[in-house]
Amino acid sequence: MPNEIIVRLQSPEGTKRVNVPVTMTLYKFFQKVSEAVAIPVDQFKLFADRNRIRELKPTSKVTLNSSKIKHGDMLYVANQTASYDGQADKASTSAASIVEDDVDQFLTKLDGKIYRERDDQLCHHGANAKCVHCVPLEPYDQRYLQEHDPPIKHLSFHSYIRKLTGGVDKGKFAFLDNISLKIKPGCTEHAPWPGGICTKCQPSAITLNRQTYRHVDNLMFENPYMFDRFLDYWRKTGNQRMGFLYGKYEHHKDVPLGIKATVSAIYEPPQRSTVNSLELLPDYNAEAVEFVASKMGLRKVGWIFTDLVADDLTKGTVKHVRNMDAHFLSAEECIMAGEYQNQHPNPCRLAAEGTFGSKFVTCIVTGDVTNQIHTEAYQVSNQCMALVRDNCLVPTRDAPELGYVRESTSEQYVPDVFYTETDSYGNTSKSLARPLPVEFLLVDVTCGFPKDPMYTFNDRTILKHFPVENRSELGELQDLGPLAQYMKQFSGDQFLEAMSDFHLMIYLATLQMLPIREHMGSLLDALRSRDGELAKAWSKSEQWATLEHFMAAQGPSPTSTTATTMAAAGGMSQGTWTCSRCTYINTNSLKAVCEMCEGPKD
């Protein structure tokens, strides 16, 4: 047994190595670890396994040898103090307590191998034997992915994990670590930045690489009718529109161990838009939307926005503005995508912090090479997420295809960020990311519709839909009048079908004049399980009976066209809304301020 061994230390700041005698006590070893990771001894815990079950204690009665720590072993440092942003460090989370998404748990249990049929021309063995021409392939086999029709450009995330955890060691030394571009805390050898910095606390320079894997392999809209309702706003106004995609993550069988995001509904938050701009406004109903979605088994899987410019109105064509000569995603959009992905991290049992990357997808509605409307989907790389999270990436003023990595200031230290380019002669050069082509940050995601449309909500079967939220400028109002008109299409036995509208559920959950939300649990359960009897039982509740009474007293509601005309002429709508400040019931639902206290309409 060697007198001195190398022990590896995995911490939130990366991996360190220390040379120590095998007879060193754990008390002195903790001092050595403290120096290596720049964290005081009383502010971290040390574990001998990735699951953080076997904890080591700083005692002078136990040595490394008696603790069965050998040369090359990996120990895990869990910081108990504040993290980079002042919150509790996620590294202290035990891997056993990390709850991965259902689709990840499902894919982890799959074999994942690509099975091939026996080739009669190349295989010269019996039916029960295997050779190089028919042996099952690993899900990350590069040749298979390239020869697939169409070729698979990126590994699925679980194929990437299988590649990391494959081989002789079965992934014993595989780990996933999030990049940090901030100064590591706890260093006492110099004054805080800008007073000084040292190699122990200085973040390493990074070179941007095109990400070879993706967390989501396909974005699929359940049906084109839902998509058309979203697109209808642009058709009526010519202004751009943004929405959040609600759906599920499921197994994508077209890619080995793949994941697809299936979209069931599009929620349109409050926003102000023009022909070439979008501004999101505060959304006071965001929590209610999440409540409705979660109760129905849905979650926010991405966001969608339009970038459409009409080309020929007689033909219905649009301009092709996003291409190789311009950009596919602007730097500003990449930053926004990175922000959303950071807000929706991906739980991962192999990550030191409990999360790694994100499944959140960005979808763009724009023109294609034939000047027809089509969709494109992307994610930004984990490196881009780190640049955005640590406030290192900004857009350029005049070139949307270029980003810019900040320079260090007295308030913030920014490490050097590079990217490599290869010219037509095959020569490779490294450049500082000032500016930075955003193509280095993008990951393509396939996008489309299924051959057989699916309908979580009734987007196809009815003639008149309940209005979409936050479209009052079009005269499309979510009010009792439109609700009464909408319900007239259904008989008493069609209550489940009538309630199968995501926008209607949001309206009921946010209705101020009648507190229905706390009583909607059984209704949402009925919609989730498609239980007509449970929905019919809810229709006999006191809350729905009261709402029916209000609808009957409301009277007929003007159509969207009439409402728009009246709004333009300063006319009065028959809809009402209750002021959240003075509780006055306003009779003009198109008016933006309260008639009594002149407070803004929420």
Side-chain angles (χ1 to χ4, degrees):
M1 181 179 294
N3 293 329
E4 196 169 78
I5 61 174
I6 295 176
V7 179
R8 297 179 300 156
L9 304 171
Q10 183 181 324
S11 71
E13 290 76 27
T15 303
K16 305 289 184 180
R17 290 175 175 84
V18 292
N19 291 3
V20 291
V22 70
T23 56
M24 176 179 280
T25 64
L26 289 185
Y27 179 81
K28 292 183 178 180
F29 180 66
F30 266 70
Q31 302 291 334
K32 194 77 172 179
V33 172
S34 176
E35 295 176 5
V37 299
I39 303 175
V41 174
D42 60 344
Q43 295 182 8
F44 70 86
K45 291 184 178 181
L46 196 60
F47 297 89
D49 59 336
R50 184 186 299 277
N51 292 335
R52 291 171 170 80
I53 297 175
R54 183 187 165 202
E55 182 180 353
L56 302 176
K57 298 292 185 180
T59 174
S60 58
K61 297 181 180 180
V62 181
T63 64
L64 294 175
N65 187 22
S66 60
S67 298
K68 298 181 180 181
I69 297 175
K70 303 181 295 297
H71 179 72
D73 278 358
M74 174 81 81
L75 302 182
Y76 301 88
V77 180
N79 194 343
Q80 300 184 84
T81 60
S83 169
Y84 310 121
D85 56 358
Q87 297 177 354
D89 196 319
K90 296 178 182 178
S92 60
T93 303
S94 171
S97 66
I98 297 170
V99 181
E100 294 184 320
D101 293 339
D102 291 343
V103 66
D104 294 312
Q105 298 179 39
F106 172 78
L107 292 174
T108 300
K109 298 174 183 177
L110 293 184
D111 181 339
K113 292 187 181 295
I114 303 166
Y115 291 90
R116 299 182 291 176
E117 298 292 334
R118 184 178 183 275
D119 192 313
D120 293 334
Q121 295 182 348
L122 300 176
C123 299
H124 306 290
H125 52 73
N128 296 327
K130 294 290 182 182
C131 68
V132 293
H133 303 293
C134 61
V135 68
L137 301 175
E138 296 292 346
Y140 48 83
D141 186 87
Q142 207 60 45
R143 183 176 178 182
Y144 171 83
L145 298 178
Q146 292 174 355
E147 294 178 353
H148 190 273
D149 186 24
I152 300 173
K153 187 176 179 181
H154 296 87
L155 288 175
S156 68
F157 181 59
H158 279 266
S159 295
Y160 175 70
I161 290 179
R162 296 292 173 93
K163 187 175 182 179
L164 286 180
T165 57
V168 178
D169 60 4
K170 298 300 180 182
K172 178 181 178 182
F173 304 113
F175 64 95
L176 300 173
D177 205 4
N178 293 307
I179 301 169
S180 175
L181 301 174
K182 289 189 175 183
I183 296 175
K184 297 167 186 156
C187 187
T188 58
E189 296 185 4
H190 53 78
W193 179 264
I197 196 169
C198 66
T199 55
K200 291 183 179 180
C201 62
Q202 180 180 7
S204 302
I206 65 170
T207 299
L208 298 177
N209 300 310
R210 300 181 192 274
Q211 191 164 290
T212 59
Y213 61 90
R214 55 191 176 189
H215 291 272
V216 171
D217 303 280
N218 178 257
L219 177 69
M220 185 184 75
F221 294 88
E222 283 190 349
N223 56 75
Y225 302 96
M226 161 188 52
F227 181 78
D228 279 341
R229 289 185 72 184
F230 172 74
L231 202 58
D232 197 45
Y233 183 91
W234 174 80
R235 293 192 181 106
K236 292 179 178 179
T237 66
N239 295 338
Q240 307 306 329
R241 194 68 170 168
M242 178 268 190
F244 288 115
L245 306 176
Y246 282 86
K248 301 176 181 178
Y249 293 116
E250 300 174 319
H251 181 203
H252 183 50
K253 298 180 180 179
D254 295 343
V255 175
L257 297 177
I259 294 176
K260 67 178 176 182
T262 303
V263 181
S264 303
I266 303 177
Y267 167 70
E268 301 177 17
Q271 55 196 281
R272 184 182 297 116
S273 63
T274 65
V275 175
N276 50 24
S277 69
L278 264 173
E279 179 188 0
L280 289 182
L281 303 176
D283 187 2
Y284 302 106
N285 293 331
E287 194 270 334
V289 177
E290 292 296 322
F291 164 78
V292 170
S294 62
K295 283 290 187 180
M296 298 190 65
L298 305 178
R299 60 188 298 183
K300 195 183 293 183
V301 299
W303 67 302
I304 184 173
F305 63 92
T306 61
D307 184 16
L308 296 168
V309 181
D311 182 38
D312 189 333
L313 295 177
T314 59
K315 298 180 180 179
T317 57
V318 293
K319 293 183 179 180
H320 182 215
V321 295
R322 292 177 183 256
N323 49 59
M324 293 182 63
D325 298 327
H327 64 279
F328 295 105
L329 209 64
S330 70
E332 193 171 11
E333 291 160 356
C334 282
I335 294 171
M336 195 69 183
E339 184 68 32
Y340 281 135
Q341 288 182 203
N342 282 316
Q343 292 175 14
H344 300 84
N346 176 53
C348 181
R349 58 186 172 81
L350 292 180
E353 297 181 12
T355 61
F356 186 77
S358 173
K359 295 190 185 78
F360 204 81
V361 182
T362 296
C363 183
I364 310 162
V365 186
T366 186
D368 62 9
V369 292
T370 63
N371 299 110
Q372 300 299 313
I373 294 175
H374 85 134
T375 56
E376 299 172 357
Y378 300 94
Q379 287 192 300
V380 293
S381 66
N382 291 7
Q383 289 180 325
C384 179
M385 290 174 61
L387 289 170
V388 173
R389 183 196 64 226
D390 294 336
N391 195 28
C392 296
L393 184 64
V394 294
T396 53
R397 184 184 298 273
D398 301 319
E401 73 278 9
L402 298 177
Y404 192 90
V405 175
R406 293 179 186 270
E407 299 180 17
S408 296
T409 64
S410 58
E411 289 80 22
Q412 179 185 5
Y413 174 83
V414 180
D416 289 334
V417 179
F418 301 93
Y419 66 94
T420 57
E421 288 184 302
T422 303
D423 60 21
S424 57
Y425 299 99
N427 300 318
T428 301
S429 61
K430 181 179 287 189
S431 303
L432 195 62
R434 299 183 181 124
L436 164 67
V438 297
E439 61 191 62
F440 284 89
L441 309 176
L442 293 181
V443 179
D444 297 336
V445 178
T446 60
C447 182
F449 301 89
K451 292 181 180 179
D452 299 318
M454 301 177 293
Y455 299 92
T456 299
F457 301 103
N458 54 12
D459 289 286
R460 174 189 60 169
T461 56
I462 58 176
L463 299 176
K464 185 176 179 60
H465 294 282
F466 187 73
V468 178
E469 62 281 338
N470 300 312
R471 288 191 180 185
S472 58
E473 65 270 27
L474 295 180
E476 299 180 8
L477 308 171
Q478 288 191 335
D479 212 339
L480 292 176
L483 177 58
Q485 292 294 316
Y486 170 80
M487 292 301 298
K488 286 181 180 179
Q489 302 173 96
F490 304 95
S491 64
D493 295 332
Q494 294 178 306
F495 188 77
L496 178 66
E497 184 178 1
M499 293 294 103
S500 296
D501 188 297
F502 189 69
H503 309 287
L504 172 58
M505 291 299 100
I506 293 173
Y507 171 70
L508 295 181
T510 57
L511 193 61
Q512 295 182 1
M513 63 184 298
L514 188 63
I516 293 182
R517 173 175 166 176
E518 53 263 33
H519 304 283
M520 289 180 63
S522 59
L523 173 62
L524 295 173
D525 289 340
L527 295 178
R528 182 175 183 172
S529 60
R530 309 301 300 173
D531 189 335
E533 292 301 320
L534 183 59
K536 190 173 182 179
W538 191 88
S539 69
K540 302 182 185 300
S541 66
E542 178 184 347
Q543 290 73 30
W544 182 251
T546 304
L547 194 58
E548 283 186 318
H549 175 75
F550 286 152
M551 284 191 288
Q554 183 68 23
S557 173
T559 63
S560 296
T561 305
T562 306
T564 306
T565 305
M566 292 177 67
M572 296 292 291
S573 166
Q574 293 186 13
T576 64
W577 60 277
T578 304
C579 179
S580 60
R581 293 162 180 79
C582 67
T583 69
Y584 178 78
I585 300 178
N586 293 267
T587 57
N588 182 4
S589 54
L590 293 178
K591 196 169 183 179
V593 296
C594 177
E595 298 172 358
M596 179 64 67
C597 68
E598 298 186 353
K601 180 181 179 181
D602 292 336

